[in-house]
PDB file of all heavy atoms in Angstrom:
ATOM      1  N   ALA A  26       2.972 -48.626 -25.576  1.00 68.00           N
ATOM      2  CA  ALA A  26       2.257 -47.414 -25.055  1.00 68.00           C
ATOM      3  C   ALA A  26       3.129 -46.185 -25.245  1.00 68.00           C
ATOM      4  O   ALA A  26       4.373 -46.320 -25.281  1.00 68.00           O
ATOM      5  CB  ALA A  26       1.831 -47.611 -23.591  1.00 68.00           C
ATOM      6  N   THR A  27       2.506 -45.049 -25.201  1.00 74.00           N
ATOM      7  CA  THR A  27       3.289 -43.783 -25.144  1.00 74.00           C
ATOM      8  C   THR A  27       3.851 -43.700 -23.739  1.00 74.00           C
ATOM      9  O   THR A  27       3.485 -44.277 -22.735  1.00 74.00           O
ATOM     10  CB  THR A  27       2.402 -42.582 -25.433  1.00 74.00           C
ATOM     11  OG1 THR A  27       1.449 -42.449 -24.414  1.00 74.00           O
ATOM     12  CG2 THR A  27       1.779 -42.689 -26.822  1.00 74.00           C
ATOM     13  N   ILE A  28       4.867 -42.845 -23.569  1.00 81.00           N
ATOM     14  CA  ILE A  28       5.481 -42.553 -22.300  1.00 81.00           C
ATOM     15  C   ILE A  28       4.451 -42.035 -21.314  1.00 81.00           C
ATOM     16  O   ILE A  28       4.391 -42.366 -20.130  1.00 81.00           O
ATOM     17  CB  ILE A  28       6.725 -41.668 -22.449  1.00 81.00           C
ATOM     18  CG1 ILE A  28       7.875 -42.495 -23.139  1.00 81.00           C
ATOM     19  CG2 ILE A  28       7.226 -41.133 -21.100  1.00 81.00           C
ATOM     20  CD1 ILE A  28       8.995 -41.666 -23.632  1.00 81.00           C
ATOM     21  N   GLU A  29       3.611 -41.120 -21.837  1.00 81.00           N
ATOM     22  CA  GLU A  29       2.628 -40.519 -21.027  1.00 81.00           C
ATOM     23  C   GLU A  29       1.588 -41.551 -20.408  1.00 81.00           C
ATOM     24  O   GLU A  29       1.244 -41.556 -19.291  1.00 81.00           O
ATOM     25  CB  GLU A  29       1.780 -39.463 -21.793  1.00 81.00           C
ATOM     26  CG  GLU A  29       2.612 -38.230 -22.197  1.00 81.00           C
ATOM     27  CD  GLU A  29       3.506 -38.486 -23.437  1.00 81.00           C
ATOM     28  OE1 GLU A  29       3.278 -39.474 -24.173  1.00 81.00           O
ATOM     29  OE2 GLU A  29       4.420 -37.729 -23.622  1.00 81.00           O
ATOM     30  N   ILE A  30       1.202 -42.510 -21.318  1.00 76.00           N
ATOM     31  CA  ILE A  30       0.271 -43.502 -20.884  1.00 76.00           C
ATOM     32  C   ILE A  30       0.956 -44.405 -19.866  1.00 76.00           C
ATOM     33  O   ILE A  30       0.385 -44.810 -18.861  1.00 76.00           O
ATOM     34  CB  ILE A  30      -0.377 -44.294 -22.030  1.00 76.00           C
ATOM     35  CG1 ILE A  30      -1.296 -43.336 -22.812  1.00 76.00           C
ATOM     36  CG2 ILE A  30      -1.033 -45.538 -21.609  1.00 76.00           C
ATOM     37  CD1 ILE A  30      -1.899 -43.953 -24.055  1.00 76.00           C
ATOM     38  N   ALA A  31       2.183 -44.789 -20.120  1.00 76.00           N
ATOM     39  CA  ALA A  31       2.947 -45.634 -19.231  1.00 76.00           C
ATOM     40  C   ALA A  31       2.998 -45.013 -17.806  1.00 76.00           C
ATOM     41  O   ALA A  31       2.775 -45.700 -16.781  1.00 76.00           O
ATOM     42  CB  ALA A  31       4.363 -45.897 -19.747  1.00 76.00           C
ATOM     43  N   GLU A  32       3.254 -43.735 -17.753  1.00 85.00           N
ATOM     44  CA  GLU A  32       3.304 -43.053 -16.482  1.00 85.00           C
ATOM     45  C   GLU A  32       1.963 -42.982 -15.764  1.00 85.00           C
ATOM     46  O   GLU A  32       1.815 -43.156 -14.605  1.00 85.00           O
ATOM     47  CB  GLU A  32       3.928 -41.648 -16.638  1.00 85.00           C
ATOM     48  CG  GLU A  32       4.178 -40.947 -15.301  1.00 85.00           C
ATOM     49  CD  GLU A  32       5.131 -41.629 -14.349  1.00 85.00           C
ATOM     50  OE1 GLU A  32       6.018 -42.366 -14.779  1.00 85.00           O
ATOM     51  OE2 GLU A  32       4.929 -41.344 -13.163  1.00 85.00           O
ATOM     52  N   GLN A  33       0.865 -42.759 -16.574  1.00 82.00           N
ATOM     53  CA  GLN A  33      -0.443 -42.698 -16.003  1.00 82.00           C
ATOM     54  C   GLN A  33      -0.837 -44.046 -15.459  1.00 82.00           C
ATOM     55  O   GLN A  33      -1.474 -44.139 -14.412  1.00 82.00           O
ATOM     56  CB  GLN A  33      -1.448 -42.224 -17.112  1.00 82.00           C
ATOM     57  CG  GLN A  33      -1.325 -40.787 -17.391  1.00 82.00           C
ATOM     58  CD  GLN A  33      -2.239 -40.375 -18.491  1.00 82.00           C
ATOM     59  OE1 GLN A  33      -2.853 -41.188 -19.212  1.00 82.00           O
ATOM     60  NE2 GLN A  33      -2.322 -39.079 -18.752  1.00 82.00           N
ATOM     61  N   LEU A  34      -0.561 -45.181 -16.217  1.00 77.00           N
ATOM     62  CA  LEU A  34      -1.012 -46.462 -15.787  1.00 77.00           C
ATOM     63  C   LEU A  34      -0.094 -47.091 -14.696  1.00 77.00           C
ATOM     64  O   LEU A  34      -0.526 -47.848 -13.812  1.00 77.00           O
ATOM     65  CB  LEU A  34      -1.010 -47.405 -16.991  1.00 77.00           C
ATOM     66  CG  LEU A  34      -2.035 -47.108 -18.055  1.00 77.00           C
ATOM     67  CD1 LEU A  34      -1.841 -48.064 -19.250  1.00 77.00           C
ATOM     68  CD2 LEU A  34      -3.439 -47.140 -17.466  1.00 77.00           C
ATOM     69  N   HIS A  35       1.235 -46.748 -14.762  1.00 82.00           N
ATOM     70  CA  HIS A  35       2.212 -47.436 -13.845  1.00 82.00           C
ATOM     71  C   HIS A  35       3.126 -46.315 -13.352  1.00 82.00           C
ATOM     72  O   HIS A  35       4.346 -46.403 -13.706  1.00 82.00           O
ATOM     73  CB  HIS A  35       2.938 -48.534 -14.583  1.00 82.00           C
ATOM     74  CG  HIS A  35       2.039 -49.531 -15.195  1.00 82.00           C
ATOM     75  ND1 HIS A  35       1.439 -50.543 -14.431  1.00 82.00           N
ATOM     76  CD2 HIS A  35       1.605 -49.630 -16.468  1.00 82.00           C
ATOM     77  CE1 HIS A  35       0.702 -51.252 -15.280  1.00 82.00           C
ATOM     78  NE2 HIS A  35       0.780 -50.777 -16.519  1.00 82.00           N
ATOM     79  N   PRO A  36       2.655 -45.401 -12.515  1.00 91.00           N
ATOM     80  CA  PRO A  36       3.586 -44.267 -12.126  1.00 91.00           C
ATOM     81  C   PRO A  36       4.849 -44.741 -11.474  1.00 91.00           C
ATOM     82  O   PRO A  36       4.896 -45.445 -10.488  1.00 91.00           O
ATOM     83  CB  PRO A  36       2.682 -43.462 -11.120  1.00 91.00           C
ATOM     84  CG  PRO A  36       1.324 -43.964 -11.298  1.00 91.00           C
ATOM     85  CD  PRO A  36       1.401 -45.322 -11.875  1.00 91.00           C
ATOM     86  N   GLY A  37       5.960 -44.334 -12.143  1.00 92.00           N
ATOM     87  CA  GLY A  37       7.306 -44.672 -11.540  1.00 92.00           C
ATOM     88  C   GLY A  37       7.672 -46.088 -11.612  1.00 92.00           C
ATOM     89  O   GLY A  37       8.702 -46.497 -11.079  1.00 92.00           O
ATOM     90  N   ALA A  38       6.842 -46.956 -12.289  1.00 91.00           N
ATOM     91  CA  ALA A  38       7.135 -48.409 -12.319  1.00 91.00           C
ATOM     92  C   ALA A  38       7.260 -48.930 -13.691  1.00 91.00           C
ATOM     93  O   ALA A  38       6.663 -49.935 -14.044  1.00 91.00           O
ATOM     94  CB  ALA A  38       5.988 -49.154 -11.531  1.00 91.00           C
ATOM     95  N   TRP A  39       7.964 -48.194 -14.545  1.00 88.00           N
ATOM     96  CA  TRP A  39       8.152 -48.637 -15.939  1.00 88.00           C
ATOM     97  C   TRP A  39       9.479 -48.052 -16.474  1.00 88.00           C
ATOM     98  O   TRP A  39      10.057 -47.254 -15.850  1.00 88.00           O
ATOM     99  CB  TRP A  39       6.963 -48.027 -16.808  1.00 88.00           C
ATOM    100  CG  TRP A  39       6.940 -46.563 -16.877  1.00 88.00           C
ATOM    101  CD1 TRP A  39       6.271 -45.765 -15.955  1.00 88.00           C
ATOM    102  CD2 TRP A  39       7.569 -45.728 -17.746  1.00 88.00           C
ATOM    103  NE1 TRP A  39       6.481 -44.452 -16.291  1.00 88.00           N
ATOM    104  CE2 TRP A  39       7.296 -44.396 -17.400  1.00 88.00           C
ATOM    105  CE3 TRP A  39       8.424 -45.934 -18.847  1.00 88.00           C
ATOM    106  CZ2 TRP A  39       7.775 -43.306 -18.147  1.00 88.00           C
ATOM    107  CZ3 TRP A  39       8.893 -44.853 -19.582  1.00 88.00           C
ATOM    108  CH2 TRP A  39       8.584 -43.555 -19.222  1.00 88.00           C
ATOM    109  N   ARG A  40       9.883 -48.649 -17.567  1.00 89.00           N
ATOM    110  CA  ARG A  40      11.088 -48.155 -18.308  1.00 89.00           C
ATOM    111  C   ARG A  40      10.948 -48.529 -19.739  1.00 89.00           C
ATOM    112  O   ARG A  40      10.150 -49.437 -20.037  1.00 89.00           O
ATOM    113  CB  ARG A  40      12.283 -48.775 -17.711  1.00 89.00           C
ATOM    114  CG  ARG A  40      12.447 -50.237 -17.901  1.00 89.00           C
ATOM    115  CD  ARG A  40      13.708 -50.845 -17.295  1.00 89.00           C
ATOM    116  NE  ARG A  40      13.660 -52.301 -17.420  1.00 89.00           N
ATOM    117  CZ  ARG A  40      14.008 -53.100 -16.393  1.00 89.00           C
ATOM    118  NH1 ARG A  40      14.423 -52.626 -15.246  1.00 89.00           N
ATOM    119  NH2 ARG A  40      13.941 -54.419 -16.623  1.00 89.00           N
ATOM    120  N   LEU A  41      11.630 -47.827 -20.592  1.00 84.00           N
ATOM    121  CA  LEU A  41      11.691 -48.199 -22.017  1.00 84.00           C
ATOM    122  C   LEU A  41      12.378 -49.483 -22.134  1.00 84.00           C
ATOM    123  O   LEU A  41      13.413 -49.789 -21.481  1.00 84.00           O
ATOM    124  CB  LEU A  41      12.373 -47.130 -22.789  1.00 84.00           C
ATOM    125  CG  LEU A  41      11.674 -45.809 -22.937  1.00 84.00           C
ATOM    126  CD1 LEU A  41      12.554 -44.750 -23.651  1.00 84.00           C
ATOM    127  CD2 LEU A  41      10.400 -46.002 -23.748  1.00 84.00           C
ATOM    128  N   ALA A  42      11.861 -50.446 -22.972  1.00 77.00           N
ATOM    129  CA  ALA A  42      12.398 -51.734 -23.174  1.00 77.00           C
ATOM    130  C   ALA A  42      13.718 -51.577 -23.973  1.00 77.00           C
ATOM    131  O   ALA A  42      13.814 -50.724 -24.904  1.00 77.00           O
ATOM    132  CB  ALA A  42      11.488 -52.606 -23.954  1.00 77.00           C
ATOM    133  N   PRO A  43      14.762 -52.307 -23.605  1.00 72.00           N
ATOM    134  CA  PRO A  43      16.045 -52.159 -24.295  1.00 72.00           C
ATOM    135  C   PRO A  43      16.077 -52.776 -25.715  1.00 72.00           C
ATOM    136  O   PRO A  43      16.954 -52.434 -26.476  1.00 72.00           O
ATOM    137  CB  PRO A  43      17.016 -52.914 -23.374  1.00 72.00           C
ATOM    138  CG  PRO A  43      16.163 -53.873 -22.606  1.00 72.00           C
ATOM    139  CD  PRO A  43      14.876 -53.242 -22.499  1.00 72.00           C
ATOM    140  N   GLU A  44      15.175 -53.665 -25.976  1.00 53.00           N
ATOM    141  CA  GLU A  44      15.176 -54.276 -27.356  1.00 53.00           C
ATOM    142  C   GLU A  44      13.821 -54.247 -27.927  1.00 53.00           C
ATOM    143  O   GLU A  44      12.828 -53.958 -27.271  1.00 53.00           O
ATOM    144  CB  GLU A  44      15.678 -55.772 -27.275  1.00 53.00           C
ATOM    145  CG  GLU A  44      14.766 -56.703 -26.585  1.00 53.00           C
ATOM    146  CD  GLU A  44      14.959 -56.734 -25.042  1.00 53.00           C
ATOM    147  OE1 GLU A  44      15.902 -56.187 -24.548  1.00 53.00           O
ATOM    148  OE2 GLU A  44      14.096 -57.347 -24.387  1.00 53.00           O
ATOM    149  N   PRO A  45      13.672 -54.584 -29.233  1.00 49.00           N
ATOM    150  CA  PRO A  45      12.334 -54.512 -29.858  1.00 49.00           C
ATOM    151  C   PRO A  45      11.415 -55.514 -29.255  1.00 49.00           C
ATOM    152  O   PRO A  45      11.810 -56.513 -28.642  1.00 49.00           O
ATOM    153  CB  PRO A  45      12.633 -54.906 -31.266  1.00 49.00           C
ATOM    154  CG  PRO A  45      14.099 -54.742 -31.473  1.00 49.00           C
ATOM    155  CD  PRO A  45      14.736 -54.829 -30.167  1.00 49.00           C
ATOM    156  N   ALA A  46      10.096 -55.225 -29.365  1.00 47.00           N
ATOM    157  CA  ALA A  46       9.091 -56.104 -28.765  1.00 47.00           C
ATOM    158  C   ALA A  46       9.019 -57.502 -29.534  1.00 47.00           C
ATOM    159  O   ALA A  46       9.140 -57.478 -30.773  1.00 47.00           O
ATOM    160  CB  ALA A  46       7.744 -55.421 -28.849  1.00 47.00           C
ATOM    161  N   PRO A  47       8.857 -58.533 -28.811  1.00 48.00           N
ATOM    162  CA  PRO A  47       8.606 -59.815 -29.500  1.00 48.00           C
ATOM    163  C   PRO A  47       7.287 -59.706 -30.225  1.00 48.00           C
ATOM    164  O   PRO A  47       6.424 -58.933 -29.913  1.00 48.00           O
ATOM    165  CB  PRO A  47       8.583 -60.833 -28.373  1.00 48.00           C
ATOM    166  CG  PRO A  47       8.647 -60.114 -27.070  1.00 48.00           C
ATOM    167  CD  PRO A  47       8.896 -58.616 -27.399  1.00 48.00           C
ATOM    168  N   GLU A  48       7.098 -60.573 -31.202  1.00 48.00           N
ATOM    169  CA  GLU A  48       5.908 -60.573 -32.023  1.00 48.00           C
ATOM    170  C   GLU A  48       4.640 -60.685 -31.190  1.00 48.00           C
ATOM    171  O   GLU A  48       3.652 -60.049 -31.442  1.00 48.00           O
ATOM    172  CB  GLU A  48       5.915 -61.709 -33.093  1.00 48.00           C
ATOM    173  CG  GLU A  48       6.756 -61.364 -34.262  1.00 48.00           C
ATOM    174  CD  GLU A  48       6.413 -60.100 -34.951  1.00 48.00           C
ATOM    175  OE1 GLU A  48       5.298 -59.903 -35.262  1.00 48.00           O
ATOM    176  OE2 GLU A  48       7.345 -59.320 -35.188  1.00 48.00           O
ATOM    177  N   ASP A  49       4.641 -61.477 -30.158  1.00 44.00           N
ATOM    178  CA  ASP A  49       3.374 -61.701 -29.335  1.00 44.00           C
ATOM    179  C   ASP A  49       3.001 -60.390 -28.654  1.00 44.00           C
ATOM    180  O   ASP A  49       1.869 -60.080 -28.450  1.00 44.00           O
ATOM    181  CB  ASP A  49       3.529 -62.880 -28.383  1.00 44.00           C
ATOM    182  CG  ASP A  49       4.643 -62.662 -27.387  1.00 44.00           C
ATOM    183  OD1 ASP A  49       5.625 -61.977 -27.724  1.00 44.00           O
ATOM    184  OD2 ASP A  49       4.569 -63.287 -26.283  1.00 44.00           O
ATOM    185  N   VAL A  50       4.010 -59.598 -28.202  1.00 43.00           N
ATOM    186  CA  VAL A  50       3.682 -58.286 -27.511  1.00 43.00           C
ATOM    187  C   VAL A  50       3.214 -57.300 -28.546  1.00 43.00           C
ATOM    188  O   VAL A  50       2.240 -56.603 -28.376  1.00 43.00           O
ATOM    189  CB  VAL A  50       4.880 -57.811 -26.719  1.00 43.00           C
ATOM    190  CG1 VAL A  50       4.620 -56.354 -26.225  1.00 43.00           C
ATOM    191  CG2 VAL A  50       5.249 -58.726 -25.659  1.00 43.00           C
ATOM    192  N   ALA A  51       3.886 -57.263 -29.677  1.00 48.00           N
ATOM    193  CA  ALA A  51       3.522 -56.306 -30.733  1.00 48.00           C
ATOM    194  C   ALA A  51       2.068 -56.580 -31.201  1.00 48.00           C
ATOM    195  O   ALA A  51       1.356 -55.665 -31.544  1.00 48.00           O
ATOM    196  CB  ALA A  51       4.443 -56.378 -31.903  1.00 48.00           C
ATOM    197  N   GLY A  52       1.684 -57.869 -31.209  1.00 49.00           N
ATOM    198  CA  GLY A  52       0.318 -58.222 -31.712  1.00 49.00           C
ATOM    199  C   GLY A  52      -0.779 -57.821 -30.760  1.00 49.00           C
ATOM    200  O   GLY A  52      -1.946 -57.789 -31.193  1.00 49.00           O
ATOM    201  N   LEU A  53      -0.436 -57.536 -29.572  1.00 46.00           N
ATOM    202  CA  LEU A  53      -1.526 -57.230 -28.550  1.00 46.00           C
ATOM    203  C   LEU A  53      -2.374 -56.008 -28.988  1.00 46.00           C
ATOM    204  O   LEU A  53      -3.522 -55.939 -28.723  1.00 46.00           O
ATOM    205  CB  LEU A  53      -0.938 -56.965 -27.143  1.00 46.00           C
ATOM    206  CG  LEU A  53      -0.396 -58.198 -26.462  1.00 46.00           C
ATOM    207  CD1 LEU A  53       0.241 -57.735 -25.136  1.00 46.00           C
ATOM    208  CD2 LEU A  53      -1.475 -59.194 -26.211  1.00 46.00           C
ATOM    209  N   THR A  54      -1.736 -55.036 -29.651  1.00 68.00           N
ATOM    210  CA  THR A  54      -2.452 -53.867 -30.040  1.00 68.00           C
ATOM    211  C   THR A  54      -3.280 -54.061 -31.299  1.00 68.00           C
ATOM    212  O   THR A  54      -3.992 -53.060 -31.666  1.00 68.00           O
ATOM    213  CB  THR A  54      -1.556 -52.643 -30.159  1.00 68.00           C
ATOM    214  OG1 THR A  54      -0.601 -52.949 -31.186  1.00 68.00           O
ATOM    215  CG2 THR A  54      -0.843 -52.326 -28.865  1.00 68.00           C
ATOM    216  N   HIS A  55      -3.213 -55.174 -31.883  1.00 87.00           N
ATOM    217  CA  HIS A  55      -3.992 -55.370 -33.116  1.00 87.00           C
ATOM    218  C   HIS A  55      -5.401 -55.982 -32.774  1.00 87.00           C
ATOM    219  O   HIS A  55      -6.262 -55.990 -33.651  1.00 87.00           O
ATOM    220  CB  HIS A  55      -3.297 -56.270 -34.098  1.00 87.00           C
ATOM    221  CG  HIS A  55      -2.020 -55.665 -34.586  1.00 87.00           C
ATOM    222  ND1 HIS A  55      -1.974 -54.588 -35.414  1.00 87.00           N
ATOM    223  CD2 HIS A  55      -0.720 -55.891 -34.269  1.00 87.00           C
ATOM    224  CE1 HIS A  55      -0.768 -54.207 -35.673  1.00 87.00           C
ATOM    225  NE2 HIS A  55       0.030 -55.003 -34.929  1.00 87.00           N
ATOM    226  N   GLU A  56      -5.595 -56.434 -31.581  1.00 93.00           N
ATOM    227  CA  GLU A  56      -6.889 -56.983 -31.175  1.00 93.00           C
ATOM    228  C   GLU A  56      -7.006 -56.795 -29.717  1.00 93.00           C
ATOM    229  O   GLU A  56      -6.193 -57.114 -28.918  1.00 93.00           O
ATOM    230  CB  GLU A  56      -6.859 -58.490 -31.480  1.00 93.00           C
ATOM    231  CG  GLU A  56      -8.163 -59.196 -31.197  1.00 93.00           C
ATOM    232  CD  GLU A  56      -8.106 -60.661 -31.695  1.00 93.00           C
ATOM    233  OE1 GLU A  56      -7.370 -60.998 -32.596  1.00 93.00           O
ATOM    234  OE2 GLU A  56      -8.848 -61.440 -31.124  1.00 93.00           O
ATOM    235  N   VAL A  57      -8.189 -56.155 -29.349  1.00 95.00           N
ATOM    236  CA  VAL A  57      -8.482 -55.933 -27.960  1.00 95.00           C
ATOM    237  C   VAL A  57      -9.898 -56.415 -27.607  1.00 95.00           C
ATOM    238  O   VAL A  57     -10.783 -56.397 -28.498  1.00 95.00           O
ATOM    239  CB  VAL A  57      -8.322 -54.418 -27.547  1.00 95.00           C
ATOM    240  CG1 VAL A  57      -6.890 -53.974 -27.736  1.00 95.00           C
ATOM    241  CG2 VAL A  57      -9.307 -53.551 -28.289  1.00 95.00           C
ATOM    242  N   PRO A  58     -10.216 -56.725 -26.370  1.00 96.00           N
ATOM    243  CA  PRO A  58     -11.585 -57.155 -26.020  1.00 96.00           C
ATOM    244  C   PRO A  58     -12.495 -55.927 -26.190  1.00 96.00           C
ATOM    245  O   PRO A  58     -12.111 -54.805 -25.947  1.00 96.00           O
ATOM    246  CB  PRO A  58     -11.464 -57.595 -24.554  1.00 96.00           C
ATOM    247  CG  PRO A  58     -10.034 -57.680 -24.286  1.00 96.00           C
ATOM    248  CD  PRO A  58      -9.263 -56.919 -25.281  1.00 96.00           C
ATOM    249  N   ARG A  59     -13.773 -56.234 -26.564  1.00 97.00           N
ATOM    250  CA  ARG A  59     -14.648 -55.114 -26.770  1.00 97.00           C
ATOM    251  C   ARG A  59     -14.805 -54.252 -25.532  1.00 97.00           C
ATOM    252  O   ARG A  59     -14.811 -53.013 -25.651  1.00 97.00           O
ATOM    253  CB  ARG A  59     -16.078 -55.706 -27.134  1.00 97.00           C
ATOM    254  CG  ARG A  59     -17.112 -54.614 -27.363  1.00 97.00           C
ATOM    255  CD  ARG A  59     -18.524 -55.159 -27.624  1.00 97.00           C
ATOM    256  NE  ARG A  59     -19.042 -55.723 -26.416  1.00 97.00           N
ATOM    257  CZ  ARG A  59     -19.533 -56.955 -26.321  1.00 97.00           C
ATOM    258  NH1 ARG A  59     -19.523 -57.769 -27.330  1.00 97.00           N
ATOM    259  NH2 ARG A  59     -20.020 -57.397 -25.189  1.00 97.00           N
ATOM    260  N   TRP A  60     -14.883 -54.818 -24.382  1.00 97.00           N
ATOM    261  CA  TRP A  60     -15.044 -54.031 -23.120  1.00 97.00           C
ATOM    262  C   TRP A  60     -13.881 -53.053 -22.985  1.00 97.00           C
ATOM    263  O   TRP A  60     -14.073 -51.901 -22.587  1.00 97.00           O
ATOM    264  CB  TRP A  60     -15.126 -54.953 -21.925  1.00 97.00           C
ATOM    265  CG  TRP A  60     -13.895 -55.648 -21.469  1.00 97.00           C
ATOM    266  CD1 TRP A  60     -13.575 -56.932 -21.827  1.00 97.00           C
ATOM    267  CD2 TRP A  60     -12.842 -55.119 -20.745  1.00 97.00           C
ATOM    268  NE1 TRP A  60     -12.349 -57.211 -21.261  1.00 97.00           N
ATOM    269  CE2 TRP A  60     -11.882 -56.139 -20.574  1.00 97.00           C
ATOM    270  CE3 TRP A  60     -12.640 -53.912 -20.055  1.00 97.00           C
ATOM    271  CZ2 TRP A  60     -10.706 -55.982 -19.887  1.00 97.00           C
ATOM    272  CZ3 TRP A  60     -11.429 -53.738 -19.359  1.00 97.00           C
ATOM    273  CH2 TRP A  60     -10.451 -54.758 -19.292  1.00 97.00           C
TER     274      TRP A  60
END
């Protein structure tokens, strides 16, 4: 997510990850439920 979206969704409860995303996390944005 963008920093803006992270703050909107989880105000004050997030940080940038120190390492690259694992493949399973990266794949989440390639398919989402219709709803």
Side-chain angles (χ1 to χ4, degrees):
T27 65
I28 290 170
E29 294 80 15
I30 289 176
E32 185 61 26
Q33 288 174 349
L34 294 175
H35 306 280
W39 62 272
R40 66 180 175 225
L41 290 173
E44 69 273 350
E48 284 302 312
D49 60 333
V50 174
L53 288 177
T54 59
H55 297 287
E56 183 174 337
V57 297
R59 180 185 71 234
W60 71 265

